[in-house]
Amino acid sequence: MAIKKSDLYSSLWASCDELRGGMDASQYKDYVLFLLFIKYISDKYGNSEDFAPPVIIPAGSSFKDMIALKGNAEIGDKINTQVIAPLIAANAKLARSDFPDFNDPNKLGEGKDRVEKLSKLIGIFQNPALDFSKNRAEHDDILGDAYEFLMRHFASESGKSKGQFYTPSEVSRILASVIGISPKNTKGATTAYDPTCGSGSLLLKVAAQAGKHITLEGQEKDVTTAGLARMNMILHDFPTATILSGNTLAAPKFKDGESLRTYDYVVANPPFSDKSWSTGLTLGDNGEDDAFQRFSWGVPPPKQGDYAYLLHIIRSMKSNTGKAACILPHGVLFRGNAEAVIREQLVRSGILKGIIGLPANLFYGTGIPACILVLDKENATARAGIFMVDASKAFIKDGNKNRLREQDIHKIVDTFTRQIDTARYARMVPRSEIADAKNNYNLNLLRYIDSSAPEDLQDIDGHLRGGIPERDLDAFAADWQVFPGVRAALFASAGRPGYASLKLPIAEVKPAILSHSEFTAYHQSVTALFTKWRKAITPRITAFAQDDHPKELIHTVSEVLLAAFQAVPLIDAYDIYQHLMDYWAAAMQDDAYLIAADGWVQGAQAREIVQVKDKNSKLIWPELHDYALGKRRFKSDLVPASILVAKYFASERAAIDALDAQIALLEQKLDDMLEQHSGDEGLLNEVIEGGGDKQKITTKAVKARLKEIGKDPDYADEHRALTAYADVLDQQGTSKAQRKADQEALDKKIAAKYLKLTEAQIKTLVVDDKWMAHLSAAVQGELDRVSQILTGRIRELAERYARPLPQLINEVATLAARVDAHLRRMGAVWN
C-alpha cells in the first residue's frame, strides 16, 4: 500500500533535519538533495534499455552501491570516487561542482561520526515509497515535488543571506501564467530562458504551463546552486535542459555568434539591488562599450543593479514576439536619477505590458516588497497603457513569512490575463496618465490604485441628534440588491433625511435576517448551485482511477467550482475555491495519490498502525479514527472508520455513546459523594487513598471497610455511605464492561466491513460522505458569514448612534444631581 505524500515529505524533512546537527541548512541541503537525485536516476535510468538514456548510470555508481557503503570506514571518500566521479565522467551535463564533498571533515565530522551520519542519511532514502523502478514518476511527480518540498524548507531554514536559491513556487506559478505560455502556443522548438535561474524552479513552472517538453536554458552565478538546478531539471523529467554557470551580465553563456541569444519567453528573479552588478563589465559613459548593446536607454546606478538585469532580459527577448516576466524590488517603480531615465524609456517603448505588486516578506532572501514586471514586445508600439495590479494585501501568514494562497494566485492571474478593472485592486492605466507632469513616469502603484480599505467615518450629526446615517447603510448596496425587503424590515426613517432608525431590538436583528423570505431564498439558491456542481463533477471524480493524474483531477474540479460560483452575489468565488484547495492540501491530495497508486479498493483497505512509544517509553497510538483488534490498531487513510461507522453502524455507535454518557454521569455522582463525605470526620475518610486532586476510592477498599465495621450500629451512617458508594461503583463497572464489549464487537464489524466494501460503496463513502460533506459545510460557512458580516455592522452602527448627545447630557445631569444629593446628606458641600 502506498504511503501518503504528505507523510512521505514530512518524514523526509524530519529525518534530514534531525541528522543535520550543527551544519548550516544552506550546506546540508546539498547532501540531502544529491541523495534524492541519485535515488531518482538510479530507479529511473539504472536499468534503462534505451540506446541513449538521458542519464547514464555507470556500474558501481547507483544508489544501491551507496547502500553497500553504509558502515564502511571510508564511506565519504568512496562516494566521491566510486559514485560521483564516474557519474560526472559519463554525463557531460554534470560537473564536480554540482555535488558536495562527502569526505569534508568540517561539515560531516571525522571517523565514526562521519560514517554514522552518512549511513543514516542514505538510510532515509531507502524508504520503499521512493521506489521508481516502474517509472511511477511519469504520472506522479512525487520525487520532483519532494525535491521542491525540501528546497522550500531548506530555504526557510537558511536565513536571509543564503535563502536566495529558491523562488517560492506560488510566485513562480504567477510568472509562468502571466507571460501567456500554454499548450496552444508552444511546440518542441519553443524556447524559455532564465538568466539568473537559481535552482531552476521558475523555468520548470514555465515548462509545466507549456504542457510539453520545450527548450529550457538557464544561467546561474553560484556553481553549487547551478548544480541544484541541473539536478532539479532531471528530477522533473527535463534532462535535456541546459544550465550553465557564470555571471550573466559580465559573461553571458547563451549567445548566437557574438550577440545574445533571443528567446520566446524569459523569466527571472535576479538578486535584488545587486551592488556588484557592473563587476567585469566595460560600459563607457553611456553604455556604448557594452558588447551586447544592452544599455542604450541608460546605465543603471553603480550600486543598484535591478535595471541592469531588466535591460539584459529585454535584449534576450525575440524582437517582435518575445515575452518576459521579472521579479524586482518595488523601488524600481519610483526611484529617481539614472533609473528614472531608463524607466521613462521603458514606458515609452510600450514593452512594459503590466505591473503586479506583491506582498512584502514573500521571499527567503529579503523581507522587502517586490513586484512583477510583465514585458511583451508583440504590438508594443501600439500599446496605449500599462495594466496594474496591487495584490500587496492578499496573503496569509506562514510562520515568519507571508505566503500567497491558491485564491490569491488565481485572482492575480485571472485579473491580469483578462485585464479586468477591479476597484482598489487593478486597472488599465493610460500611458498619458503616467506621462502627465504630476506623475512624470513614476510607476508607484499607490499613485494609480487606492487599495486602502474605506475609512469608517464618524457622523457628527448622528452623534448629536441620533439616527444611523443612510450613507453607512448604502455601503451594503450589494446586500440590499439581493435583500431589498430585509432593509425595509429592519429600518425606518429617523425623522429627517439621510438617517434611519432600527425597528427592532439589536438582539432580534440576526433572527430577523435569517428568517426573512429573501434570505431563505438566497440560501436555497446557493445550496442548489452547490448541489448542481456536485452532481456535474461527481462522474469525473468517480471515474478517477489507478495510474490517473491527481493534479489533472484537482485542476478540473477546482476550475469547474470556481466558474460555478463566479456569478453568485455576496460570496467571493475565490473564497469557495480556497476552501477546496485547502481541503485538497489537507486530505484530498493524499487520497487521490493513494487511489492513483493502488486503486479505490486496495487504497481503502486498513493498514496496521505501528506502535509508538513516547519519551517515557509509554505506548501511544498517534493516529485517530483507528479501530482495534486485540492489541493491534488499524486505520484506513482513504475511508476513516468514523465515516464507515456513521454509514453502516450508527446504532452501535449510538449505544456506545449512550454508555459513555452514562459512565460520565456515574463518575460525576461518585465525585459528588466523595466531596460530600470527605473532609473532617467524613464518612468515607477511611477508604480515601491519595490526596488533593488525586483522591480516589477503590472497590477493594470499600469492601474491606464494610467487612471491618460489619453491622456495628455505631457505624450505621458510614455503612450506608459506603454501601451507596459501592452500588454506584458496581453500576460504573458494569457500564464500562458493557462499553468494552460493545466496542470490541463494533471493531470486529468494522474489520469485516472493510474487507467486504465494493468499489461503488468506497466511492460513495469517499466522494459523498467525506469530500463533498466537507465542501458542503464550507459553503454553508460562507453563507453564515454573509449574515454575520451584515448583522455585525448593523449592531455596530446601532450601538454607535444609540445615545445622541442630548441624551448623554441629560444622563450626566441626572447622575450629577444624584451625586450632589448624596454628598449633601453626608454633610459635604460641592462647589
Side-chain angles (χ1 to χ4, degrees), residues 27-42 61-63 66 76 78-80 82-85 87-88 94-96 98-102 118 121-122 125 147 150-151 154 227-228 231-232 235:
Q27 297 175 332
Y28 187 63
K29 76 176 190 303
D30 302 333
Y31 294 95
V32 171
L33 297 176
F34 169 75
L35 278 164
L36 190 63
F37 171 75
I38 196 75
K39 170 64 176 155
Y40 175 83
I41 61 174
S42 297
S61 297
S62 71
F63 182 72
M66 292 185 74
K78 288 182 180 293
I79 290 175
N80 285 342
Q82 296 179 12
V83 177
I84 295 178
L87 196 63
I88 294 166
L94 300 178
R96 183 64 189 92
D98 294 353
F99 308 121
D101 179 2
F102 277 80
L118 289 177
L121 193 56
I122 293 169
F125 295 90
Y147 190 83
L150 291 172
M151 277 204 297
F154 279 125
L228 291 182
M231 288 192 287
N232 203 7
L235 283 167

Side-chain angles (χ1 to χ4, degrees), residues 53 147 158 374 385 479 481 550 582 635 652 778:
Y147 190 83
S158 294
V374 185
D479 292 74
Q481 283 184 342
D582 284 344
K635 176 184 177 182
E652 289 90 334

Side-chain angles (χ1 to χ4, degrees), residues 544-607:
F544 185 76
Q546 193 169 2
D547 294 327
D548 280 352
H549 298 223
K551 290 180 180 178
E552 291 180 6
L553 173 69
I554 187 56
H555 177 76
T556 300
V557 172
S558 63
E559 291 301 316
V560 175
L561 179 67
L562 183 63
F565 278 84
Q566 285 285 11
V568 177
L570 306 182
I571 290 179
D572 188 338
Y574 291 102
D575 287 337
I576 300 292
Y577 171 83
Q578 185 64 40
H579 282 296
L580 171 58
M581 299 310 292
D582 284 344
Y583 188 52
W584 172 258
M588 282 182 70
Q589 177 178 220
D590 283 331
D591 291 347
Y593 275 94
L594 284 176
I595 296 165
D598 296 331
W600 290 88
V601 175
Q602 182 63 28
Q605 293 306 307
R607 59 185 171 85

Side-chain angles (χ1 to χ4, degrees), residues 43 118 131 186 258 305 313 444 456 471 482 550 589-590 658 733 775:
D43 285 350
L118 289 177
D131 179 11
T186 54
E258 294 304 312
I313 289 168
N444 192 346
D456 185 11
R471 176 199 65 218
V482 181
Q589 177 178 220
D590 283 331
L775 296 175

Side-chain angles (χ1 to χ4, degrees), residues 174-193:
I174 293 173
L175 266 74
S177 298
V178 297
I179 57 175
I181 192 169
S182 72
K184 295 179 181 178
N185 57 22
T186 54
K187 51 189 177 182
T190 299
T191 56
Y193 167 62

Side-chain angles (χ1 to χ4, degrees), residues 59-77:
S61 297
S62 71
F63 182 72
K64 289 182 180 178
D65 298 304
M66 292 185 74
I67 294 173
L69 293 174
K70 287 171 64 177
N72 189 302
E74 299 178 2
I75 184 172
D77 180 64

Side-chain angles (χ1 to χ4, degrees), residues 534-546 548 553 557 588 595 599-600 759-768 771-772:
R534 174 177 175 168
K535 185 176 181 180
I537 203 67
T538 294
R540 170 68 181 88
I541 296 175
T542 53
F544 185 76
Q546 193 169 2
D548 280 352
L553 173 69
V557 172
M588 282 182 70
I595 296 165
W600 290 88
E759 184 168 310
Q761 288 174 325
I762 292 168
K763 288 179 177 179
T764 298
L765 287 165
V766 175
V767 178
D768 293 342
W771 294 352
M772 290 301 174

